[in-house]
Amino acid sequence: NPHRAVERVSERLLMRPLTPEEQRMVRTSFDEFSAFYRSKPDAADQLMGIGELKPTGGVPTPDLAALTLVANQLFNLDEVLNK
């Protein structure tokens, strides 16, 4: 479940569960990113081709690309940067 994966990443980075409002915002971001990458699968493949490790399967590439962008957003939160 991609939304559960977003929640797990958020909890690890923030060291707390997301508030209901934060959950809504993060899920909305994921859904928008996922829709973008589903409409542009080459862009998802390009993003997931960056780096030494390649995806091992199990998660559709558009969802994995969307999760990557959500994680990037979370990493840039002041709350994460100041921990």
Side-chain angles (χ1 to χ4, degrees):
N1 178 342
H3 286 159
R4 182 64 194 127
V6 167
E7 290 173 17
R8 283 195 316 265
V9 168
S10 301
E11 288 174 8
R12 285 184 175 227
L13 290 174
L14 298 170
M15 303 300 288
R16 63 172 178 78
L18 294 172
T19 66
E21 177 65 16
E22 290 169 334
Q23 281 182 359
R24 185 190 63 73
M25 292 183 342
V26 171
R27 286 180 177 190
T28 297
S29 289
F30 171 82
D31 291 342
E32 290 174 359
F33 292 143
S34 183
F36 172 81
Y37 283 118
R38 285 185 191 289
S39 71
K40 300 185 183 319
D42 291 342
D45 291 337
Q46 185 177 6
L47 176 62
M48 300 320 305
I50 296 171
E52 293 181 25
L53 298 176
K54 304 302 175 213
T56 58
V59 177
T61 303
D63 287 348
L64 193 55
L67 286 168
T68 299
L69 291 185
V70 168
N72 186 53
Q73 282 184 325
L74 292 169
F75 270 115
N76 285 304
L77 292 173
D78 286 342
E79 187 175 347
V80 173
L81 294 171
N82 291 319
K83 289 217 180 252

